[in-house]
Amino acid sequence: MSGGAALVVLLLATSLVTAAVTFVLPEHREAVRNAVNVGGALLKVLLTSLLVFGVFTGAEFEWRVAFLPGADLVLRADPIPLLFVFLSALLWLTTTVYAIGYRAGDGRSSRFFGFFGLCASMAVGIALAGNLVTFLIFYELLTVATYPLVVHGGGQRARLGGRTYVAYATAGGAALLFGTAWLQHLVGSTEFGDPATVTAVATEQPLAMTAVFLVLITGLAVKAVLVPLHGWLPKAMVAPAPVSALLHAVAVVKAGVYGIVRVVHDLYGMALVDELGALTPLAVVATVTIVYGSLRALTRDDLKGRLAYSTVSQLSYIVLGVSVFGLTSTTGGLVHLVHQGIMKVTLFYGAGILDRQLGVTRASQMDGVGRRLPLTMAAFTVAALGMIGFPPTVGFVSKYYLGMGAVEAGQPWVVAVLAISGALNASYFLPLIARAWFRPAGEPADAEVVAEEGDNRVGMTTATSDDAVPPGPAPTRGRWETDRWLLLPTLSTGASVLALGVLAGAPGSPLTWAAFIAEELMQP
Amino acid sequence: MSALWWLSPVLLPLLAAGVALVSGRARAWLPAVAPLPALLLAVTGPPGEPPELSWLLIGLELDLDGIGRPLLLMSALVWAAAGAAARRLCATDRGFAALFLVTMAGNLGVLIAGDLITLYASFAVMTYAAYGLVVHERSPFAVRAGRVYMVLAVLGEVALLAGVMLTVGIADSTAFEDIAGALAVTDGGRAIGGLLVVGFGIKAGLVPLHLWLPLAHPAAPVAASAVLSAAMIKAGLLGWLRLLPLQEAWSGWGQTLLVLGLTGALLGIVVGLTQRDPKVLLAYSSISQMGLLITLVGVGLAASDASGPTGLAAAGYAVHHGLAKAALFLGVGVYTSGALAAAHRMYLGATALVGLSLAAAPLTGGWVAKQTLKGTVETLYVGPGLAGLSVALTATGAGTTLLIGRLLRLLREPPELPEGRPKPVRVATGSGEEPTPADGDTPAFLGTPRLLPRLAERPLVGSWSLLTAAALVGGWGLHRFGGDAIATPEIEVASLWDGLWPVSLGLLLLAGVAWRRHHFGLDPPPGRGEIPAGDVLLLVVAAGHRLRVMARRVEPVAARTFETLRDTREVAEHRIRPGPGLDRVEELITRWRSAGILLALVGAALIVALALGR
């Protein structure tokens, strides 16, 4: 095995080994478990940096074994995967730290962190997959690995939420499997990064290839929460905050969007998809999702539900960037892959701290929390402003590139969509910020607002009225406003929301990286 | 080094904001000191070529030209004075201090921005951070003002962002000249220009988008009112001057702005005259003054090849108005604090002088600014009725004189002293300055304690005096930064008469009113004849209410639609309730069935595949 292949496999193995060790650790060995998990995450960041450095100096990183006739198992570090792997490695580190502070395990920590590590591995597999078959395998494994995390809290609501999740994910997976098989049958290979072969087949059989594309996208759309296949996400909100953070930022939903990006850019090639006439329908679906998600978020009082619908909306920015033809908008879509992850993870960290420290789970309870948790709320505020697209945060950078790209591509209607969604985002995030900072701290949870009809629906709220495991004691405060393990990740991701926006033009920023990738993709 | 110097107007306030959050001692004086580098930069002029900062934002460019420089000078001065006046407030409230400084950074950033993205980013930072200044008092009035402010601010930001994307898209550049050029020649340029007119117009108090202004400006503490009404209001104007194609003839938007500007100039006076809160009155005066500036921009936009003179004349007028308005707002603060109660006549005299300058009485700074503005309008105006327009512009001076007369009447009684009688005026919003009862503050050797303000009020009184002086003389020469593109008005009979007659007319009217009052005692009872702040806002709210009532009557179906609308509105007012219509849709598509349907679709696709297969 060459050095390049070894690095790729090692990257996959880091989290896997971490998970294996964690599973066998007895529950009370907290220090060891924490050390192993943080150490594993750190090692992964290190390896990823090596990988990035290697790729930019021109090295090749590929690992390939024969798997099925005509379909190898391939892991390869191409530019787009690098972007995603780097993001997921970094956010995995912060989320691991956060999960330790959150005591997400609740007496079942070995199980929790074990599956946590497994997910990390699967995400790397998804990111580095060199063909659709490999992608599919890891994609399905991710479903299996995340299920225990979604239902971790236990109780009826969690189980029902988990069941919904699995039902959706399996159906989507089935569609993806079918599409992959069909493509393999038509083209004879499903390698990423080889649009020429696919294009050749597509000129012969445009109808079949369009159908394959639609099936693939439909399968991926389940995890990418495109309307109307988004129903599972708000129900999966029963998961503990670190899991939600991860689900929304790098793992499950991101995997779906990432899959769409790869299918459009690396499998079919943008030019072909455009030729098949599938870009515009995709753009329309993305538009509907953006507006619909924002509208739904507006009506949710429970914080995590609001954030969940915001994810529905934000992810489609990426899809929109993918589905508008052109260099600038591709850059915008790719860079939002990173930006959305950082912003959303920060928001969930903040929501988790609010829940853990103050028991605040609803927007209407947020009056004056800025005084009690100033640093947390500062990070939350920055991330929320980013979601609105406020300069100079990263959200603005994404939005700007998406809008510009649309104008360049002769589709100025996209700008109207961005404007509407910006106004909607503002109207569900700004009240939170205004409450937190400019209202006197009031008696939380007034009775009228609690009588929300979502309460009697399954798995929608974070209330713990059923037989779920009761949350542990509020974290110790120490010198800081909350546990340091909770605060540090929140502050670092919050700061990067601002820093990466201010330094968007600097070399090495996600923007320059995305622009570089987009340029490579656009070369005929 | 030069780059740091260039960036200091933005960088220093931001740094200061960070420091203000952690250090209690620095907090008190930082807001006064932070704008000083900007002031110095404006005085000394650009230090060499602007730096290349492509790694900041999406390529940051800076510029300091004949329009930006006088505005920077005025704004920095106003911010410094307001910062000094807000000393005690900042010392006690770190949130206010930090937001004050961030708003300052945004405002000064707008003035030195050399490309569209930097301009937009600074503008947005300024707009959102200023929310904290508006709602600072937390009174019901301030909270309502904050809500209206935010709704309009978000609307403006959305229009601007869309405008920014579209302009950069068609111009393929973020440089101002390219954008103005591309707007002029592109088909959809006028529509995009409309987005910019609205986006910046909200900040500039363009009628009918001004409805937030008479609420928000007075709601803030006086120091913040001063910067809102003097400095920040000019940011919208600058946005127009930078981006609208003044070199081309855009008669459609030009005439619209001309009409709206004149309307604003008149509306500000008429509604302002009915006010009882001096700060609301001053806010309406700002709408009136901005109306004149908007008229100028409209005329420039309708004319071809007008970018130079329009910009310079506008900058000159904006500088004077900024200084005068800041002085007047701080003057209200001085009044409520009771600092100059012992020298009330002197205080009223100084206020009257600033007021006269604002009304463009001959030989004041305001006269210079107004003569320049009027001269430019007369040169550039294309179309009928120039004489009428000219007279209308001049006649606003009479209106302003009336406004100032009304202001002086509201302030005529010496203010409440610490143990004095109840306040004669209703200052609904307060000033944020708590009068201290310490009377022995002033050491005896400093002079008669009765004339010198108490120690704690000295920064406020000092900055008020500074701005008063600056407003009176500042018009002379400040607008000349741009070189000789426009001339200072000659001191001759015609121009002096032009300044004299409106003021005399105003004074005559005031005398008439005073005579009437004296003889018949016809002061309207409190609350009568007062148009509530926000004027048009009431119509909007009433219309919304009326619509809802009507909708409920019409038909159940229509009523349900409006139910959803009402819910959306309530969400905007923080009373969140789920919209029933949307919920039903959601329920429909998120049932388990969706997953089943998906599987069925896969099956169907399988059949299609078999049919198509080779």
Side-chain angles (χ1 to χ4, degrees):
Chain A
M1 197 190 282
S2 74
L7 187 57
V8 173
V9 174
L10 208 56
L11 200 57
L12 194 68
T14 340
S15 317
L16 219 52
V17 172
T18 314
V21 173
T22 311
F23 273 129
V24 298
L25 273 178
E27 183 61 32
H28 65 272
R29 302 297 297 273
E30 201 181 327
V32 181
R33 188 173 50 238
N34 293 349
V36 166
N37 276 284
V38 174
L42 273 173
L43 182 65
K44 198 164 152 189
V45 172
L46 198 72
L47 290 176
T48 317
S49 314
L50 264 180
L51 196 69
V52 172
F53 180 74
V55 168
F56 276 94
T57 52
E60 293 263 322
F61 294 93
E62 191 187 86
W63 175 78
R64 184 184 287 270
V65 288
F67 175 56
L68 295 169
D72 299 337
L73 270 187
V74 188
L75 293 177
R76 191 172 53 232
D78 288 332
I80 300 183
L82 268 189
L83 196 65
F84 193 57
V85 161
F86 201 63
L87 172 77
S88 78
L90 280 179
L91 292 191
W92 221 284
L93 176 62
T94 58
T95 310
T96 305
V97 173
Y98 184 84
I100 290 171
Y102 196 79
R103 288 154 210 255
D106 286 340
R108 280 172 270 176
S109 290
S110 284
R111 187 182 86 183
F112 181 83
F113 281 101
F115 281 110
F116 207 65
L118 273 187
C119 284
S121 259
M122 298 313 127
V124 171
I126 288 178
L128 293 177
N131 61 19
L132 200 52
V133 173
T134 317
F135 180 87
L136 174 69
I137 289 168
F138 283 109
Y139 191 78
E140 290 293 345
L141 284 175
L142 184 67
T143 309
V144 179
T146 40
Y147 176 75
L149 294 177
V150 171
V151 299
H152 181 83
Q156 172 132 35
R157 190 167 283 158
R159 277 198 297 277
L160 281 175
R163 232 160 79 193
T164 315
Y165 167 55
V166 168
Y168 270 89
T170 323
L176 191 63
L177 170 66
F178 170 65
T180 310
W182 195 356
L183 188 73
Q184 179 80 26
H185 166 70
L186 287 174
V187 181
S189 111
T190 59
E191 289 284 311
F192 288 142
D194 184 23
T197 321
V198 180
T199 312
V201 179
T203 39
E204 285 170 32
Q205 307 189 31
L207 202 62
M209 288 302 279
T210 313
V212 172
F213 181 78
L214 289 183
V215 172
L216 287 178
I217 294 296
T218 313
L220 292 166
V222 172
K223 277 197 178 139
V225 287
L226 291 180
V227 170
L229 300 174
H230 65 286
W232 62 273
L233 188 65
K235 297 191 182 175
M237 292 315 300
V238 282
V243 177
S244 300
L246 218 61
L247 241 65
H248 285 252
V250 282
V252 177
V253 284
K254 227 29 180 311
V257 177
Y258 178 72
I260 294 180
V261 170
R262 295 223 79 181
V263 166
V264 172
H265 282 308
D266 283 341
L267 192 64
Y268 272 64
M270 205 166 198
L272 175 59
V273 181
D274 191 29
E275 221 167 276
L276 293 177
L279 274 188
T280 312
L282 194 56
V284 170
V285 172
T287 303
V288 171
T289 309
I290 288 175
V291 176
Y292 184 82
S294 304
L295 279 176
R296 284 299 305 174
L298 203 57
T299 63
R300 295 300 295 256
D301 186 43
D302 60 310
L303 212 48
K304 283 174 98 185
R306 195 175 278 202
L307 292 182
Y309 277 109
S310 151
T311 302
V312 172
S313 168
Q314 288 283 328
L315 281 176
S316 275
Y317 279 45
I318 304 171
V319 181
L320 190 66
V322 166
S323 56
V324 172
F325 193 88
L327 183 67
T328 316
S329 105
T330 305
T331 309
L334 287 175
V335 81
H336 200 54
L337 203 64
V338 178
H339 289 168
Q340 186 269 349
I342 306 173
M343 293 189 286
K344 198 30 83 58
V345 111
T346 312
L347 287 175
F348 271 110
Y349 290 165
I353 294 178
L354 282 178
D355 185 6
R356 260 298 145 99
Q357 202 71 59
L358 303 180
V360 167
T361 57
R362 293 174 174 279
S364 49
Q365 299 168 336
M366 281 181 71
D367 286 1
V369 292
R371 259 168 234 285
R372 171 63 186 80
L373 298 169
L375 292 173
T376 308
M377 286 317 292
F380 187 92
T381 303
V382 168
L385 288 175
M387 285 290 177
I388 301 169
F390 178 81
T393 61
V394 289
F396 168 69
V397 176
S398 306
K399 216 171 191 181
Y400 175 73
Y401 270 78
L402 289 173
M404 290 263 304
V407 179
E408 240 170 56
Q411 305 198 23
W413 58 272
V414 170
V415 174
V417 175
L418 293 178
I420 292 169
S421 116
L424 288 173
N425 290 353
S427 45
Y428 64 81
F429 273 127
L430 288 182
L432 300 186
I433 300 174
R435 270 174 187 282
W437 294 108
F438 298 111
R439 289 253 191 122
E443 202 60 31
D446 42 325
E448 313 141 27
V449 196
V450 176
E452 190 214 353
E453 47 74 71
D455 261 351
N456 43 32
R457 241 190 280 158
V458 178
M460 293 295 258
T461 60
T462 46
T464 49
S465 51
D466 56 353
D467 57 332
V469 178
T476 46
R477 285 181 58 183
R479 262 194 72 202
W480 301 91
E481 60 191 46
T482 181
D483 196 308
R484 271 172 305 173
W485 291 79
L486 291 176
L487 196 58
L488 272 180
T490 315
L491 289 183
S492 53
T493 51
S496 29
V497 169
L498 203 58
L500 293 181
V502 171
L503 300 175
S509 77
L511 179 66
T512 42
W513 204 344
F516 169 76
I517 297 173
E519 228 162 278
E520 292 234 312
L521 289 172
M522 283 295 148
Q523 272 162 11
Chain B
M1 202 52 226
S2 158
L4 275 182
W5 181 221
W6 266 99
L7 279 174
S8 62
V10 178
L11 225 47
L12 213 73
L14 285 182
L15 276 179
V19 175
L21 280 178
V22 288
S23 160
R25 200 176 295 169
R27 205 177 291 147
W29 51 267
L30 272 176
V33 172
L36 294 184
L39 194 62
L40 200 59
L41 188 69
V43 171
T44 59
E49 285 296 299
E52 294 276 330
L53 298 166
S54 61
W55 47 274
L56 266 181
L57 282 173
I58 308 166
L60 184 117
E61 281 173 47
L62 300 173
D63 191 15
L64 195 58
D65 63 356
I67 300 172
R69 204 171 141 197
L71 286 176
L72 183 66
L73 186 60
M74 179 274 283
S75 301
L77 193 63
V78 167
W79 274 102
R87 201 183 145 154
R88 196 128 37 95
L89 199 54
C90 288
T92 52
D93 187 339
R94 64 174 170 178
F96 181 82
L99 283 175
F100 190 84
L101 285 160
V102 171
T103 314
M104 180 193 297
N107 189 184
L108 299 180
V110 168
L111 304 177
I112 57 167
D115 69 302
L116 180 54
I117 301 306
T118 313
L119 177 76
Y120 170 73
S122 315
F123 195 83
V125 168
M126 175 185 88
T127 302
Y128 279 121
Y131 173 78
L133 308 186
V134 172
V135 298
H136 172 79
E137 306 263 339
R138 309 288 198 281
S139 61
F141 181 78
V143 169
R144 175 156 172 271
R147 193 177 299 161
V148 177
Y149 175 79
M150 214 53 206
V151 169
L152 268 290
V154 167
L155 277 184
E157 285 306 306
V158 164
L160 261 191
L161 182 61
V164 164
M165 287 172 181
L166 291 169
T167 42
V168 178
I170 59 169
D172 200 22
S173 154
T174 57
F176 295 135
E177 310 86 65
D178 298 345
I179 285 166
L183 275 180
V185 296
T186 316
D187 279 341
R190 274 149 218 257
I192 301 171
L195 289 172
L196 299 177
V197 166
V198 170
F200 288 121
I202 288 178
K203 186 71 59 201
L206 175 70
V207 175
L209 304 170
H210 70 286
L211 40 84
W212 63 276
L213 197 151
L215 293 173
H217 285 194
V222 270
S225 305
V227 287
L228 271 162
S229 220
M232 287 158 66
I233 200 170
K234 307 299 186 306
L237 175 79
L238 186 71
W240 282 344
L241 295 177
R242 293 283 193 225
L243 297 171
L244 294 181
L246 290 165
Q247 73 276 24
E248 299 289 327
W250 256 25
S251 49
W253 278 118
Q255 275 158 11
T256 311
L257 283 184
L258 172 68
V259 171
L260 292 179
L262 285 176
T263 314
L266 186 67
L267 178 131
I269 290 165
V270 172
V271 183
L273 278 176
T274 71
Q275 301 304 318
R276 279 159 197 279
D277 181 338
K279 286 170 86 184
V280 180
L281 182 145
L282 287 176
Y284 271 108
S285 158
S286 287
I287 293 177
S288 166
Q289 296 289 322
M290 288 309 286
L292 294 183
L293 278 165
I294 293 167
T295 309
L296 170 68
V297 174
V299 169
L301 205 52
S304 60
D305 208 19
S307 56
T310 310
L312 294 174
Y317 197 80
V319 165
H320 175 262
H321 171 245
L323 294 172
K325 193 48 62 68
L328 288 171
F329 263 113
L330 289 188
V332 175
V334 169
Y335 176 82
T336 17
S337 75
L340 284 184
H344 194 61
R345 274 164 198 282
M346 188 197 85
Y347 164 78
L348 285 181
T351 306
L353 272 182
V354 177
L356 282 179
S357 182
L358 199 62
L363 298 181
T364 58
W367 175 76
V368 180
K370 183 137 184 193
Q371 287 300 313
T372 315
L373 180 133
K374 202 168 141 258
T376 313
V377 166
E378 281 164 357
T379 326
L380 293 176
Y381 185 69
V382 279
L386 173 60
L389 176 63
S390 187
V391 170
L393 285 183
T394 315
T396 55
T400 306
T401 312
L402 288 176
L403 269 181
I404 297 302
R406 172 82 186 154
L407 176 72
L408 291 175
R409 176 154 176 83
L410 289 176
L411 302 177
R412 71 189 182 283
E413 298 290 333
E416 159 195 31
L417 285 168
E419 52 288 286
R421 332 154 249 156
K423 271 183 210 175
V425 252
R426 183 162 56 102
V427 181
T429 57
S431 66
E433 303 277 347
E434 293 273 323
T436 40
D439 249 350
D441 268 0
T442 313
F445 60 84
L446 278 180
T448 16
R450 284 184 59 76
L451 264 179
L452 266 183
R454 276 164 297 125
L455 202 59
E457 306 296 353
R458 247 178 243 152
L460 174 64
V461 175
S463 40
W464 168 72
S465 326
L466 175 75
L467 286 177
T468 304
L472 289 178
V473 298
W476 290 97
L478 258 187
H479 69 295
R480 296 291 308 280
F481 276 97
D484 295 324
I486 44 170
T488 315
E490 301 285 330
I491 303 180
E492 53 188 23
V493 176
S495 62
L496 288 177
W497 173 241
D498 228 27
L500 195 60
W501 74 258
V503 175
S504 315
L505 180 65
L507 289 176
L508 214 64
L509 284 172
L510 280 176
V513 172
W515 181 80
R516 222 174 114 93
R517 186 185 290 128
H518 186 71
H519 285 273
F520 301 102
L522 280 184
D523 230 5
R528 282 275 302 279
E530 186 175 7
I531 299 179
D535 50 86
V536 197
L537 180 67
L538 291 182
L539 297 181
V540 175
V541 172
H545 181 74
R546 194 82 219 134
L547 268 179
R548 280 203 308 281
V549 171
M550 268 162 57
R552 290 233 181 77
R553 278 197 207 130
V554 177
E555 236 185 61
V557 186
R560 221 174 302 142
T561 326
F562 272 89
E563 209 95 315
T564 321
L565 280 183
R566 188 204 55 197
D567 285 331
T568 329
R569 190 188 67 93
E570 273 179 353
V571 166
E573 295 179 4
H574 317 279
R575 284 199 300 273
I576 296 153
R577 252 182 250 160
L582 209 58
D583 266 354
R584 234 164 285 143
V585 177
E586 176 72 0
E587 217 169 308
L588 210 70
I589 50 180
T590 61
R591 290 224 184 109
W592 273 67
R593 243 181 273 147
S594 303
I597 291 170
L598 187 63
L599 276 177
L601 280 180
V602 173
L606 191 66
I607 296 167
V608 174
L610 288 175
L612 286 172
R614 30 181 191 196

